[in-house]
């Protein structure tokens, strides 16, 4: 029976005996000689923060990534997790277990691993401590933990067992262990535990938010769903895959309400901004936590799809989608300005912990300021009717308009943004890690050839080769270089203090993106992609009778598409956007909501609104690999970091008197 005693029971027994020995009249034990362990003994105390990516409420979610990231890049870990999840994505199981709710509100307190914690201002952190080295078989360890806040906590147990406890945040905890084995003198080993909690904020636009990668992607039906085009009549109807579980009318003559349709929507970390756990900002923060075991990472995602510097960072913007609940949809209408949200969070944190600071800002912004989506629309909308309508409504933008905005409005916006970020970061803008965009239309180092491939989800789409080539050249030779100048106060960009105003700039991923644009294809792509997404642009059955039951020309059900399997393209095309998200602009005012979900406008938006021409999860992982060394350098962390011990642990051994 003694061998079945829990570690907690043994520790309590030892503590009880120690108390009895100290009582008046009791026989005093013979003192065991204790000596400091010599460096040659190899005995060391190792410790690590448990569940140290604090956005995750459950440690199992963090351990999934810590294991995947062991000696691997973020990209390699994403690819492995994609295969492990059969392409359905790891985030689908995690998105409901976070310390931030779908409306973007921080849960204060947040219950993490059954313990209530303040998310923004933690007062303690869970750690695992273990003795390593040449531990004698059967040796006993007498542990002591002293944080200066009261009497030291102590426990005695087998040296082979790790010990879990919570340590005070804001100061050191002194650890000592006496290792006893037989008649040999006990050896004493000491260490200091001091957790560094890093506060990181993510700001910016759709590239920063993770657009194109819903945490729980849409489930597709093998049957068809009818959309109208602007041509009208039967000739203006076409069928595309429907949503799995949708029981409403699928024919254009059988209108149905949005409320019925949206019950099967894709799910996002934050629907109003299409924030995703796959975003490079989240993956960078998560990788920092995984690589550095003495850190805890408190991460605040604020980036929002559609954001510009003016409307998004400084001012509010329209919400993308509604939060879908069991009782219906909750629509916010507008999303608060990101800088205002960050200031409010910092003020709340400083009220409780005056020394709490913002350690790092991850930032990507500027594409919407030059109306990049308007240039994309100009490239892919080919039908004359749609082009005329979209030009009138401002959906299509000219390259000249974008060039003018790049030269005038964007520099002014960056200057204003610098002045707003300075006081939040103690005047040190090097702690802003600006990660540039990758060119989305390069493959094999050359511009994509254009054509309908990847965009035939809508009959009016066809990437015009000439317009595409002009945009690719503009992005490569003008837009991306100007972003670097703006971030680094170079190339004629004037800054008040050229040294202090320089952001940390990241673009090392751009060479990789040049091989993986939206037109990239490989013999190793998923089987569904190779068989069903036609390079000729005829992926869908044009016959509305047969397409109603099977819209894919390949004859394979759309339910076989897997958005998170590895593939050559790291940029979502319009087909990917529809098959992954199939998103409608539910956050628009009711006056702008069509009454019929077969509407022609929604046929267009469902193909692009969920992330067309945005990085896939692999693309975001590659961006995180580029941003990670820069972030670690800014934070003063060694690039490799201590080895992370992540083997499965036995049931937690509690220090008497501590909470877990």
């Amino acid at each position: 029976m003694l061998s079945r005693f829990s570690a907690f029971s043994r520790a309590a027994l030892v503590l009880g005996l120690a108390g009895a020995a100290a009582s008046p009249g009791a026989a005093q034990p013979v003192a065991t000689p204790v000596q400091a362990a010599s460096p040659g003994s190899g005995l060391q105390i190792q410790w690590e923060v448990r569940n140290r990516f604090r956005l995750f409420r459950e440690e199992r979610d963090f351990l999934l990534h810590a294991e995947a990231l062991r000696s691997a890049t973020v990209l390699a870990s994403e690819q492995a997790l994609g295969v492990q999840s059969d392409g359905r994505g790891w985030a689908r199981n995690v998105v409901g277990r976070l310390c931030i709710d779908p409306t973007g509100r921080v849960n204060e307190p947040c219950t993490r691993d059954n313990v209530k914690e303040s998310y923004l201002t933690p007062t303690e952190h869970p750690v695992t401590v273990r003795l390593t080295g040449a531990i004698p078989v059967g040796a006993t360890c007498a542990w002591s933990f002293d944080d200066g806040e009261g009497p030291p906590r102590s426990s005695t147990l087998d040296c082979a067992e790790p010990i879990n406890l919570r340590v005070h945040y804001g100061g050191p905890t002194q650890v000592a262990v006496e290792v006893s084995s037989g008649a040999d003198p006990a050896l004493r080993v000491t260490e200091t535990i001091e957790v560094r909690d890093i506060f990181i904020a993510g700001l910016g636009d759709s590239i920063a938010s993770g657009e194109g990668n819903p945490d729980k992607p849409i489930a597709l039906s093998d049957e068809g769903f009818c959309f109208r085009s602007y041509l009208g009549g039967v000739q203006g109807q076409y069928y595309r895959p429907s949503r799995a579980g949708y029981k409403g009318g699928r024919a254009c003559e059988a209108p149905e309400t949005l409320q019925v349709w949206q019950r099967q929507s894709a799910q996002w970390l934050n629907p109003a901004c299409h924030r995703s756990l796959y975003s490079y900002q989240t993956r960078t923060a998560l990788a920092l936590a995984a690589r550095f075991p003495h850190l805890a990472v408190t991460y605040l995602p604020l980036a929002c799809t559609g954001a510009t510097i003016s409307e998004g960072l400084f001012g509010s913007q329209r919400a993308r989608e509604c939060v879908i609940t069991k009782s219906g949809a909750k629509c916010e209408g507008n999303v608060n300005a990101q800088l205002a949200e960050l200031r409010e969070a910092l003020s709340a944190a400083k009220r409780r912990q005056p020394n709490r600071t913002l350690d790092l800002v991850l930032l990507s912004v500027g594409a919407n300021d030059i109306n990049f989506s308007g240039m994309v629309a100009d490239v892919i909308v080919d039908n004359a009717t749609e082009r005329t309508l979209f030009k009138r409504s401002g959906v299509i933008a000219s390259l000249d308009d974008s060039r003018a905005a790049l030269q005038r409005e964007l520099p002014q916006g960056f200057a204003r943004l610098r002045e707003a970020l300075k006081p939040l970061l103690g005047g040190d803008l090097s702690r802003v890690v600006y990660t540039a965009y990758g060119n989305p239309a390069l493959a094999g180092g050359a511009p994509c050839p254009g054509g309908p491939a990847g965009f035939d989800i809508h009959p009016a789409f066809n990437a015009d080769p000439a317009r595409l080539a002009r945009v690719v050249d503009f992005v490569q030779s003008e837009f991306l270089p100007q972003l670097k100048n703006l971030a680094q106060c170079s190339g004629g960009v004037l800054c008040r203090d050229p040294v202090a105003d320089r952001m940390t700039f990241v673009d090392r991923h751009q060479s990789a993106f040049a091989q993986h644009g939206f037109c990239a294809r490989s013999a190793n792509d998923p089987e569904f992609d190779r068989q069903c997404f036609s390079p000729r642009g005829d992926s869908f059955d044009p016959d509305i009778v047969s397409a109603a039951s099977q819209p894919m020309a390949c004859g394979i059900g759309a339910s076989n598409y897997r958005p998170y399997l590895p593939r050559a393209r790291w940029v979502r095309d319009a087909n990917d956007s529809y098959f992954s998200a199939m998103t409608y602009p539910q956050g628009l005012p009711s006056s702008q909501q069509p009454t019929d979900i077969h509407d022609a406008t929604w046929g267009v938006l469902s193909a692009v609104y969920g992330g067309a021409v945005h990085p896939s999860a692999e693309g975001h992982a590659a961006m995180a690999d580029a941003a990670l060394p820069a972030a670690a350098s800014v934070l003063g962390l060694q690039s490799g970091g201590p080895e992370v011990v992540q083997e499965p642990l036995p049931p937690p051994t509690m220090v008497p008197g501590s909470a877990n």
Side-chain angles (χ1 to χ4, degrees), residues 370 398-411 474:
I370 66 165
S398 73
L399 192 59
D400 289 340
D401 290 340
S402 295
R403 181 175 286 116
L406 178 63
Q407 295 170 351
R408 293 196 299 266
E409 285 86 354
L410 193 56
F474 168 75

Side-chain angles (χ1 to χ4, degrees), residues 47-49 125 127 167-175 191-197 293-296:
W47 63 276
E48 63 177 303
V49 183
H125 292 91
V127 301
V167 297
H168 175 71
Y169 176 56
T173 295
Q174 304 299 332
V175 184
E191 178 62 279
T192 299
I193 295 175
E194 188 162 11
V195 178
R196 182 182 177 189
D197 194 294
H294 294 175
L295 292 184

